[in-house]
Amino acid sequence: AQSVAQPEDQVNVAEGNPLTVKCTYSVSGNPYLFWYVQYPNRGLQFLLKYITGDNLVKGSYGFEAEFNKSQTSFHLKKPSALVSDSALYFCAVRGGYNKLIFGAGTRLAVHP
Amino acid sequence: GAVVSQHPSWVICKSGTSVKIECRSLDFQATTMFWYRQFPKQSLMLMATSNEGSKATYEQGVEKDKFLINHASLTLSTLTVTSAHPEDSSFYICSARGQGGGELFFGEGSRLTVL
C-alpha cells in the first residue's frame, strides 16, 4: 500500500537560513508525489508535484523538492526561509483510484 | 489556479441537529470530489470519494448514514453531518479534480463545532 512518512513533527529554522522538510514514500510502481502547505484554519495550497522528468522540482513561493528514487525521498527545500513560510506542510502520494494519501504533516517555524 | 469554495467556513450547532457543508468548483467542472476530515494538529483523513451522478465511495470506518454525500452536479458536492454529536466536531476539507484527471484543488475548509 502507498504511504508517506514525515519524520519530523516540527522544524525550526532562522529567517534567511535554508530549510528542509523531510518526506519519504512507499509505493508500488512510479510515484506521483506532492507538497501542500496549510495556514491556520485554512485549506491546503498546492506547492509542487513530481510526476516524471527532472528530479529537482521547482514550485510556488521559492520552494523546491528533490525526488530521490534510491532513497525513496522527496524532501522539500527552500534556500532562504521567511517568517511568512511558517505553516503546516504536508507531503502526499497519489494512491489507488487517484486518492491522495497524506503524511502526518510537519510544522515549520521560522523565527526572526 | 482553479478555485474551490466551501461554505460555511464556520458552523456551530446543537447536538442532534444536522449540518450541511457545500463544496463548489467555481471555474472548472469536477467529476470527482474528495472529503477529508482533520483533527487538531493531525493530518487529513480521507472520508469519501464523491463522483458526479453516482453514490459516494466511503473509506473504511466512515459511517455512510452519518456523513451523507451528494454530488448532484459537476460543480457541487455536499456533505451532511446527520444527528451531529460533539465528537463530530472537526475541520472538514473538500478537494476537487477536474475532468481528465490532474491536479487536486482544495477548499478553504469548514470548521464544525457541535455543542
mmCIF file of all heavy atoms in Angstrom, chain A residues 36 38 41-44 46 49 88 90 94 97-100 102-105 107, chain B residues 10 34 36 38 42-44 46 49 59 91 93 97 102-104 106-108 111:
data_model
loop_
_atom_site.group_PDB
_atom_site.id
_atom_site.type_symbol
_atom_site.label_atom_id
_atom_site.label_comp_id
_atom_site.label_asym_id
_atom_site.label_seq_id
_atom_site.Cartn_x
_atom_site.Cartn_y
_atom_site.Cartn_z
ATOM 1 N N TYR A 36 2.002 20.157 -0.102
ATOM 2 C CA TYR A 36 0.990 21.174 0.139
ATOM 3 C C TYR A 36 1.350 21.926 1.417
ATOM 4 O O TYR A 36 2.013 21.389 2.315
ATOM 5 C CB TYR A 36 -0.390 20.534 0.336
ATOM 6 C CG TYR A 36 -1.018 19.991 -0.925
ATOM 7 C CD1 TYR A 36 -0.730 18.705 -1.360
ATOM 8 C CD2 TYR A 36 -1.907 20.763 -1.671
ATOM 9 C CE1 TYR A 36 -1.311 18.201 -2.520
ATOM 10 C CE2 TYR A 36 -2.491 20.259 -2.827
ATOM 11 C CZ TYR A 36 -2.184 18.982 -3.240
ATOM 12 O OH TYR A 36 -2.761 18.488 -4.388
ATOM 13 N N GLN A 38 -0.419 24.379 4.579
ATOM 14 C CA GLN A 38 -1.682 24.775 5.212
ATOM 15 C C GLN A 38 -1.413 25.834 6.265
ATOM 16 O O GLN A 38 -0.612 25.626 7.188
ATOM 17 C CB GLN A 38 -2.361 23.568 5.861
ATOM 18 C CG GLN A 38 -3.738 23.886 6.439
ATOM 19 C CD GLN A 38 -4.374 22.695 7.119
ATOM 20 O OE1 GLN A 38 -3.693 21.845 7.695
ATOM 21 N NE2 GLN A 38 -5.705 22.614 7.062
ATOM 22 N N ASN A 41 -6.426 27.320 10.108
ATOM 23 C CA ASN A 41 -7.856 27.389 9.752
ATOM 24 C C ASN A 41 -8.090 27.625 8.266
ATOM 25 O O ASN A 41 -9.079 28.260 7.885
ATOM 26 C CB ASN A 41 -8.562 28.465 10.574
ATOM 27 C CG ASN A 41 -8.607 28.105 12.040
ATOM 28 O OD1 ASN A 41 -8.989 26.994 12.402
ATOM 29 N ND2 ASN A 41 -8.177 29.013 12.885
ATOM 30 N N ARG A 42 -7.203 27.155 7.464
ATOM 31 C CA ARG A 42 -7.344 27.295 6.012
ATOM 32 C C ARG A 42 -7.225 25.929 5.347
ATOM 33 O O ARG A 42 -6.781 24.952 5.939
ATOM 34 C CB ARG A 42 -6.239 28.209 5.456
ATOM 35 C CG ARG A 42 -6.179 29.589 6.084
ATOM 36 C CD ARG A 42 -7.360 30.431 5.692
ATOM 37 N NE ARG A 42 -7.378 30.743 4.283
ATOM 38 C CZ ARG A 42 -6.712 31.754 3.726
ATOM 39 N NH1 ARG A 42 -5.966 32.542 4.459
ATOM 40 N NH2 ARG A 42 -6.794 31.969 2.433
ATOM 41 N N GLY A 43 -7.619 25.881 4.088
ATOM 42 C CA GLY A 43 -7.441 24.662 3.321
ATOM 43 C C GLY A 43 -5.992 24.498 2.904
ATOM 44 O O GLY A 43 -5.111 25.198 3.387
ATOM 45 N N LEU A 44 -5.753 23.552 2.017
ATOM 46 C CA LEU A 44 -4.393 23.282 1.573
ATOM 47 C C LEU A 44 -4.076 24.032 0.290
ATOM 48 O O LEU A 44 -4.917 24.131 -0.604
ATOM 49 C CB LEU A 44 -4.206 21.790 1.325
ATOM 50 C CG LEU A 44 -3.788 20.946 2.530
ATOM 51 C CD1 LEU A 44 -4.872 20.929 3.579
ATOM 52 C CD2 LEU A 44 -3.437 19.536 2.086
ATOM 53 N N PHE A 46 -1.465 24.102 -2.944
ATOM 54 C CA PHE A 46 -0.518 23.298 -3.695
ATOM 55 C C PHE A 46 0.807 24.027 -3.829
ATOM 56 O O PHE A 46 0.854 25.214 -4.153
ATOM 57 C CB PHE A 46 -1.119 23.009 -5.076
ATOM 58 C CG PHE A 46 -0.184 22.368 -6.049
ATOM 59 C CD1 PHE A 46 0.078 21.014 -5.980
ATOM 60 C CD2 PHE A 46 0.414 23.120 -7.047
ATOM 61 C CE1 PHE A 46 0.928 20.422 -6.891
ATOM 62 C CE2 PHE A 46 1.265 22.532 -7.963
ATOM 63 C CZ PHE A 46 1.526 21.182 -7.885
ATOM 64 N N LYS A 49 4.728 19.369 -7.433
ATOM 65 C CA LYS A 49 4.489 17.938 -7.618
ATOM 66 C C LYS A 49 5.601 17.337 -8.456
ATOM 67 O O LYS A 49 6.260 18.029 -9.245
ATOM 68 C CB LYS A 49 3.150 17.697 -8.294
ATOM 69 C CG LYS A 49 3.070 18.232 -9.724
ATOM 70 C CD LYS A 49 1.690 18.006 -10.318
ATOM 71 C CE LYS A 49 1.610 18.616 -11.716
ATOM 72 N NZ LYS A 49 0.241 18.506 -12.281
ATOM 73 N N LEU A 88 1.997 24.655 8.260
ATOM 74 C CA LEU A 88 1.992 23.186 8.327
ATOM 75 C C LEU A 88 2.167 22.656 6.913
ATOM 76 O O LEU A 88 1.459 23.070 5.995
ATOM 77 C CB LEU A 88 0.665 22.719 8.915
ATOM 78 C CG LEU A 88 0.483 21.252 9.302
ATOM 79 C CD1 LEU A 88 1.554 20.808 10.276
ATOM 80 C CD2 LEU A 88 -0.899 21.057 9.916
ATOM 81 N N PHE A 90 2.462 19.408 4.244
ATOM 82 C CA PHE A 90 2.079 18.012 4.037
ATOM 83 C C PHE A 90 2.687 17.475 2.751
ATOM 84 O O PHE A 90 2.585 18.094 1.692
ATOM 85 C CB PHE A 90 0.553 17.880 3.926
ATOM 86 C CG PHE A 90 -0.184 18.110 5.202
ATOM 87 C CD1 PHE A 90 -0.805 19.321 5.447
ATOM 88 C CD2 PHE A 90 -0.262 17.119 6.161
ATOM 89 C CE1 PHE A 90 -1.495 19.541 6.628
ATOM 90 C CE2 PHE A 90 -0.946 17.327 7.347
ATOM 91 C CZ PHE A 90 -1.559 18.539 7.578
ATOM 92 N N ARG A 94 -0.003 9.935 -4.574
ATOM 93 C CA ARG A 94 -1.265 9.508 -5.184
ATOM 94 C C ARG A 94 -1.376 7.992 -5.072
ATOM 95 O O ARG A 94 -0.479 7.259 -5.489
ATOM 96 C CB ARG A 94 -1.339 9.932 -6.646
ATOM 97 C CG ARG A 94 -2.667 9.558 -7.300
ATOM 98 C CD ARG A 94 -2.777 10.125 -8.688
ATOM 99 N NE ARG A 94 -2.899 11.578 -8.653
ATOM 100 C CZ ARG A 94 -3.021 12.338 -9.741
ATOM 101 N NH1 ARG A 94 -3.005 11.775 -10.941
ATOM 102 N NH2 ARG A 94 -3.132 13.641 -9.638
ATOM 103 N N TYR A 97 -7.114 4.660 -7.246
ATOM 104 C CA TYR A 97 -8.318 5.452 -7.552
ATOM 105 C C TYR A 97 -8.041 6.954 -7.455
ATOM 106 O O TYR A 97 -8.941 7.735 -7.158
ATOM 107 C CB TYR A 97 -9.480 5.064 -6.636
ATOM 108 C CG TYR A 97 -9.807 3.593 -6.697
ATOM 109 C CD1 TYR A 97 -9.394 2.738 -5.688
ATOM 110 C CD2 TYR A 97 -10.509 3.059 -7.772
ATOM 111 C CE1 TYR A 97 -9.679 1.377 -5.748
ATOM 112 C CE2 TYR A 97 -10.792 1.710 -7.838
ATOM 113 C CZ TYR A 97 -10.378 0.870 -6.812
ATOM 114 O OH TYR A 97 -10.666 -0.468 -6.872
ATOM 115 N N ASN A 98 -6.808 7.333 -7.696
ATOM 116 C CA ASN A 98 -6.413 8.747 -7.703
ATOM 117 C C ASN A 98 -6.582 9.452 -6.361
ATOM 118 O O ASN A 98 -6.662 10.681 -6.315
ATOM 119 C CB ASN A 98 -7.181 9.523 -8.774
ATOM 120 C CG ASN A 98 -6.646 9.224 -10.159
ATOM 121 O OD1 ASN A 98 -5.449 9.020 -10.319
ATOM 122 N ND2 ASN A 98 -7.519 9.197 -11.135
ATOM 123 N N LYS A 99 -6.647 8.688 -5.279
ATOM 124 C CA LYS A 99 -6.744 9.333 -3.975
ATOM 125 C C LYS A 99 -5.385 9.876 -3.571
ATOM 126 O O LYS A 99 -4.351 9.331 -3.927
ATOM 127 C CB LYS A 99 -7.174 8.311 -2.922
ATOM 128 C CG LYS A 99 -8.501 7.647 -3.184
ATOM 129 C CD LYS A 99 -8.729 6.571 -2.147
ATOM 130 C CE LYS A 99 -9.944 5.747 -2.497
ATOM 131 N NZ LYS A 99 -10.134 4.630 -1.552
ATOM 132 N N LEU A 100 -5.396 10.951 -2.795
ATOM 133 C CA LEU A 100 -4.165 11.472 -2.224
ATOM 134 C C LEU A 100 -4.019 10.950 -0.801
ATOM 135 O O LEU A 100 -4.939 11.050 -0.002
ATOM 136 C CB LEU A 100 -4.172 12.998 -2.204
ATOM 137 C CG LEU A 100 -3.626 13.732 -3.413
ATOM 138 C CD1 LEU A 100 -3.516 15.208 -3.117
ATOM 139 C CD2 LEU A 100 -2.279 13.185 -3.848
ATOM 140 N N PHE A 102 -1.916 11.421 2.565
ATOM 141 C CA PHE A 102 -1.100 12.460 3.175
ATOM 142 C C PHE A 102 -0.212 11.914 4.285
ATOM 143 O O PHE A 102 -0.581 10.962 4.989
ATOM 144 C CB PHE A 102 -1.992 13.558 3.769
ATOM 145 C CG PHE A 102 -2.645 14.419 2.734
ATOM 146 C CD1 PHE A 102 -3.882 14.083 2.197
ATOM 147 C CD2 PHE A 102 -2.026 15.572 2.279
ATOM 148 C CE1 PHE A 102 -4.478 14.871 1.224
ATOM 149 C CE2 PHE A 102 -2.625 16.367 1.313
ATOM 150 C CZ PHE A 102 -3.839 16.015 0.790
ATOM 151 N N GLY A 103 0.935 12.560 4.442
ATOM 152 C CA GLY A 103 1.749 12.316 5.614
ATOM 153 C C GLY A 103 1.147 13.021 6.816
ATOM 154 O O GLY A 103 0.127 13.710 6.712
ATOM 155 N N ALA A 104 1.783 12.853 7.946
ATOM 156 C CA ALA A 104 1.242 13.392 9.197
ATOM 157 C C ALA A 104 1.385 14.901 9.293
ATOM 158 O O ALA A 104 0.746 15.530 10.131
ATOM 159 C CB ALA A 104 1.927 12.726 10.383
ATOM 160 N N GLY A 105 2.227 15.460 8.444
ATOM 161 C CA GLY A 105 2.428 16.893 8.477
ATOM 162 C C GLY A 105 3.635 17.285 9.309
ATOM 163 O O GLY A 105 3.986 16.622 10.292
ATOM 164 N N ARG A 107 5.254 20.817 11.060
ATOM 165 C CA ARG A 107 5.058 22.239 11.343
ATOM 166 C C ARG A 107 6.404 22.952 11.202
ATOM 167 O O ARG A 107 7.385 22.593 11.865
ATOM 168 C CB ARG A 107 4.513 22.437 12.757
ATOM 169 C CG ARG A 107 4.108 23.867 13.055
ATOM 170 C CD ARG A 107 3.203 23.946 14.275
ATOM 171 N NE ARG A 107 1.982 23.189 14.114
ATOM 172 C CZ ARG A 107 0.926 23.611 13.434
ATOM 173 N NH1 ARG A 107 0.928 24.788 12.838
ATOM 174 N NH2 ARG A 107 -0.161 22.854 13.348
ATOM 175 N N TRP B 10 -17.402 28.430 9.008
ATOM 176 C CA TRP B 10 -17.550 28.084 10.411
ATOM 177 C C TRP B 10 -19.018 27.753 10.669
ATOM 178 O O TRP B 10 -19.901 28.421 10.158
ATOM 179 C CB TRP B 10 -17.169 29.257 11.324
ATOM 180 C CG TRP B 10 -15.780 29.741 11.195
ATOM 181 C CD1 TRP B 10 -15.264 30.553 10.237
ATOM 182 C CD2 TRP B 10 -14.707 29.459 12.094
ATOM 183 N NE1 TRP B 10 -13.942 30.786 10.480
ATOM 184 C CE2 TRP B 10 -13.570 30.138 11.611
ATOM 185 C CE3 TRP B 10 -14.598 28.699 13.269
ATOM 186 C CZ2 TRP B 10 -12.331 30.068 12.255
ATOM 187 C CZ3 TRP B 10 -13.374 28.644 13.916
ATOM 188 C CH2 TRP B 10 -12.255 29.314 13.400
ATOM 189 N N PHE B 34 -13.365 14.983 -3.231
ATOM 190 C CA PHE B 34 -12.959 14.198 -2.074
ATOM 191 C C PHE B 34 -13.275 14.992 -0.808
ATOM 192 O O PHE B 34 -13.092 16.201 -0.757
ATOM 193 C CB PHE B 34 -11.456 13.909 -2.113
ATOM 194 C CG PHE B 34 -11.005 13.155 -3.331
ATOM 195 C CD1 PHE B 34 -10.630 13.828 -4.482
ATOM 196 C CD2 PHE B 34 -10.949 11.771 -3.327
ATOM 197 C CE1 PHE B 34 -10.200 13.145 -5.604
ATOM 198 C CE2 PHE B 34 -10.515 11.071 -4.450
ATOM 199 C CZ PHE B 34 -10.145 11.771 -5.585
ATOM 200 N N TYR B 36 -12.347 15.314 3.225
ATOM 201 C CA TYR B 36 -11.367 14.961 4.241
ATOM 202 C C TYR B 36 -11.829 15.510 5.586
ATOM 203 O O TYR B 36 -12.537 16.506 5.673
ATOM 204 C CB TYR B 36 -9.998 15.570 3.921
ATOM 205 C CG TYR B 36 -9.316 14.991 2.711
ATOM 206 C CD1 TYR B 36 -9.578 15.481 1.428
ATOM 207 C CD2 TYR B 36 -8.377 13.970 2.835
ATOM 208 C CE1 TYR B 36 -8.937 14.962 0.319
ATOM 209 C CE2 TYR B 36 -7.732 13.449 1.725
ATOM 210 C CZ TYR B 36 -8.017 13.945 0.479
ATOM 211 O OH TYR B 36 -7.378 13.431 -0.618
ATOM 212 N N GLN B 38 -10.036 16.626 9.361
ATOM 213 C CA GLN B 38 -8.760 16.913 10.003
ATOM 214 C C GLN B 38 -8.989 17.256 11.460
ATOM 215 O O GLN B 38 -9.683 18.220 11.781
ATOM 216 C CB GLN B 38 -8.048 18.061 9.292
ATOM 217 C CG GLN B 38 -6.651 18.331 9.826
ATOM 218 C CD GLN B 38 -5.977 19.476 9.098
ATOM 219 O OE1 GLN B 38 -6.627 20.394 8.614
ATOM 220 N NE2 GLN B 38 -4.659 19.425 9.000
ATOM 221 N N GLN B 42 -3.390 17.215 13.423
ATOM 222 C CA GLN B 42 -3.272 15.926 12.758
ATOM 223 C C GLN B 42 -3.397 16.099 11.252
ATOM 224 O O GLN B 42 -3.695 17.167 10.750
ATOM 225 C CB GLN B 42 -4.334 14.965 13.283
ATOM 226 C CG GLN B 42 -4.129 14.562 14.722
ATOM 227 C CD GLN B 42 -5.023 13.422 15.117
ATOM 228 O OE1 GLN B 42 -5.411 12.595 14.294
ATOM 229 N NE2 GLN B 42 -5.354 13.351 16.394
ATOM 230 N N SER B 43 -3.145 14.993 10.569
ATOM 231 C CA SER B 43 -3.182 15.019 9.118
ATOM 232 C C SER B 43 -4.621 14.939 8.616
ATOM 233 O O SER B 43 -5.567 14.839 9.389
ATOM 234 C CB SER B 43 -2.367 13.863 8.558
ATOM 235 O OG SER B 43 -2.258 13.976 7.165
ATOM 236 N N LEU B 44 -4.749 14.993 7.311
ATOM 237 C CA LEU B 44 -6.058 14.875 6.688
ATOM 238 C C LEU B 44 -6.383 13.390 6.503
ATOM 239 O O LEU B 44 -5.583 12.629 5.976
ATOM 240 C CB LEU B 44 -6.074 15.549 5.314
ATOM 241 C CG LEU B 44 -6.201 17.059 5.298
ATOM 242 C CD1 LEU B 44 -4.922 17.721 5.732
ATOM 243 C CD2 LEU B 44 -6.589 17.536 3.913
ATOM 244 N N LEU B 46 -8.932 10.881 4.643
ATOM 245 C CA LEU B 46 -9.930 10.817 3.588
ATOM 246 C C LEU B 46 -11.174 10.113 4.117
ATOM 247 O O LEU B 46 -11.089 9.017 4.666
ATOM 248 C CB LEU B 46 -9.370 10.062 2.382
ATOM 249 C CG LEU B 46 -10.311 9.909 1.198
ATOM 250 C CD1 LEU B 46 -10.640 11.267 0.592
ATOM 251 C CD2 LEU B 46 -9.684 9.008 0.133
ATOM 252 N N THR B 49 -14.960 9.495 -1.389
ATOM 253 C CA THR B 49 -14.779 9.982 -2.752
ATOM 254 C C THR B 49 -16.146 10.155 -3.380
ATOM 255 O O THR B 49 -16.961 9.210 -3.366
ATOM 256 C CB THR B 49 -13.943 8.994 -3.574
ATOM 257 O OG1 THR B 49 -12.691 8.786 -2.934
ATOM 258 C CG2 THR B 49 -13.711 9.526 -4.987
ATOM 259 N N GLU B 59 -14.525 5.558 2.828
ATOM 260 C CA GLU B 59 -13.366 4.856 3.366
ATOM 261 C C GLU B 59 -13.804 3.973 4.540
ATOM 262 O O GLU B 59 -14.841 4.214 5.173
ATOM 263 C CB GLU B 59 -12.305 5.840 3.825
ATOM 264 C CG GLU B 59 -11.716 6.660 2.693
ATOM 265 C CD GLU B 59 -11.031 5.818 1.639
ATOM 266 O OE1 GLU B 59 -10.090 5.068 2.001
ATOM 267 O OE2 GLU B 59 -11.433 5.892 0.463
ATOM 268 N N PHE B 91 -12.494 19.789 11.496
ATOM 269 C CA PHE B 91 -12.275 20.645 10.321
ATOM 270 C C PHE B 91 -12.474 19.760 9.098
ATOM 271 O O PHE B 91 -11.783 18.747 8.946
ATOM 272 C CB PHE B 91 -10.852 21.216 10.376
ATOM 273 C CG PHE B 91 -10.595 22.357 9.440
ATOM 274 C CD1 PHE B 91 -11.405 23.480 9.444
ATOM 275 C CD2 PHE B 91 -9.509 22.335 8.568
ATOM 276 C CE1 PHE B 91 -11.162 24.558 8.596
ATOM 277 C CE2 PHE B 91 -9.258 23.408 7.715
ATOM 278 C CZ PHE B 91 -10.074 24.520 7.733
ATOM 279 N N ILE B 93 -12.536 19.350 5.021
ATOM 280 C CA ILE B 93 -11.961 19.956 3.823
ATOM 281 C C ILE B 93 -12.365 19.144 2.599
ATOM 282 O O ILE B 93 -12.295 17.914 2.620
ATOM 283 C CB ILE B 93 -10.419 20.002 3.903
ATOM 284 C CG1 ILE B 93 -9.964 20.752 5.144
ATOM 285 C CG2 ILE B 93 -9.840 20.652 2.650
ATOM 286 C CD1 ILE B 93 -8.451 20.725 5.333
ATOM 287 N N ARG B 97 -11.172 17.517 -8.401
ATOM 288 C CA ARG B 97 -10.309 17.249 -9.553
ATOM 289 C C ARG B 97 -11.128 17.441 -10.810
ATOM 290 O O ARG B 97 -12.276 17.015 -10.896
ATOM 291 C CB ARG B 97 -9.774 15.820 -9.503
ATOM 292 C CG ARG B 97 -8.971 15.435 -10.749
ATOM 293 C CD ARG B 97 -8.318 14.078 -10.606
ATOM 294 N NE ARG B 97 -7.202 14.129 -9.684
ATOM 295 C CZ ARG B 97 -7.073 13.359 -8.614
ATOM 296 N NH1 ARG B 97 -8.012 12.475 -8.343
ATOM 297 N NH2 ARG B 97 -6.035 13.465 -7.832
ATOM 298 N N GLY B 102 -5.689 14.958 -13.216
ATOM 299 C CA GLY B 102 -4.835 16.101 -12.963
ATOM 300 C C GLY B 102 -4.835 16.522 -11.523
ATOM 301 O O GLY B 102 -5.145 15.763 -10.609
ATOM 302 N N GLU B 103 -4.485 17.754 -11.332
ATOM 303 C CA GLU B 103 -4.245 18.280 -10.007
ATOM 304 C C GLU B 103 -5.508 18.373 -9.174
ATOM 305 O O GLU B 103 -6.610 18.583 -9.684
ATOM 306 C CB GLU B 103 -3.677 19.674 -10.195
ATOM 307 C CG GLU B 103 -2.850 20.196 -9.071
ATOM 308 C CD GLU B 103 -2.165 21.461 -9.522
ATOM 309 O OE1 GLU B 103 -1.414 21.406 -10.509
ATOM 310 O OE2 GLU B 103 -2.422 22.502 -8.908
ATOM 311 N N LEU B 104 -5.310 18.221 -7.858
ATOM 312 C CA LEU B 104 -6.386 18.419 -6.911
ATOM 313 C C LEU B 104 -6.353 19.845 -6.393
ATOM 314 O O LEU B 104 -5.292 20.373 -6.086
ATOM 315 C CB LEU B 104 -6.221 17.483 -5.719
ATOM 316 C CG LEU B 104 -6.875 16.116 -5.739
ATOM 317 C CD1 LEU B 104 -6.640 15.427 -4.400
ATOM 318 C CD2 LEU B 104 -8.356 16.218 -6.024
ATOM 319 N N PHE B 106 -8.034 22.370 -3.386
ATOM 320 C CA PHE B 106 -8.673 22.235 -2.091
ATOM 321 C C PHE B 106 -9.509 23.459 -1.744
ATOM 322 O O PHE B 106 -9.148 24.593 -2.081
ATOM 323 C CB PHE B 106 -7.612 22.039 -0.999
ATOM 324 C CG PHE B 106 -7.037 20.659 -0.993
ATOM 325 C CD1 PHE B 106 -6.036 20.309 -1.890
ATOM 326 C CD2 PHE B 106 -7.499 19.699 -0.111
ATOM 327 C CE1 PHE B 106 -5.504 19.027 -1.903
ATOM 328 C CE2 PHE B 106 -6.979 18.421 -0.108
ATOM 329 C CZ PHE B 106 -5.976 18.087 -1.002
ATOM 330 N N GLY B 107 -10.596 23.185 -1.034
ATOM 331 C CA GLY B 107 -11.376 24.271 -0.461
ATOM 332 C C GLY B 107 -10.688 24.806 0.777
ATOM 333 O O GLY B 107 -9.675 24.258 1.235
ATOM 334 N N GLU B 108 -11.237 25.887 1.320
ATOM 335 C CA GLU B 108 -10.652 26.534 2.479
ATOM 336 C C GLU B 108 -10.991 25.833 3.781
ATOM 337 O O GLU B 108 -10.480 26.192 4.831
ATOM 338 C CB GLU B 108 -11.109 27.991 2.547
ATOM 339 C CG GLU B 108 -10.488 28.855 1.481
ATOM 340 C CD GLU B 108 -9.005 29.039 1.705
ATOM 341 O OE1 GLU B 108 -8.626 29.720 2.676
ATOM 342 O OE2 GLU B 108 -8.223 28.492 0.906
ATOM 343 N N ARG B 111 -15.060 24.578 9.573
ATOM 344 C CA ARG B 111 -14.887 24.121 10.955
ATOM 345 C C ARG B 111 -16.250 23.919 11.588
ATOM 346 O O ARG B 111 -17.039 24.854 11.699
ATOM 347 C CB ARG B 111 -14.065 25.130 11.753
ATOM 348 C CG ARG B 111 -13.818 24.644 13.194
ATOM 349 C CD ARG B 111 -12.690 25.353 13.882
ATOM 350 N NE ARG B 111 -11.414 25.186 13.204
ATOM 351 C CZ ARG B 111 -10.677 24.084 13.247
ATOM 352 N NH1 ARG B 111 -11.101 23.017 13.908
ATOM 353 N NH2 ARG B 111 -9.521 24.046 12.614
#
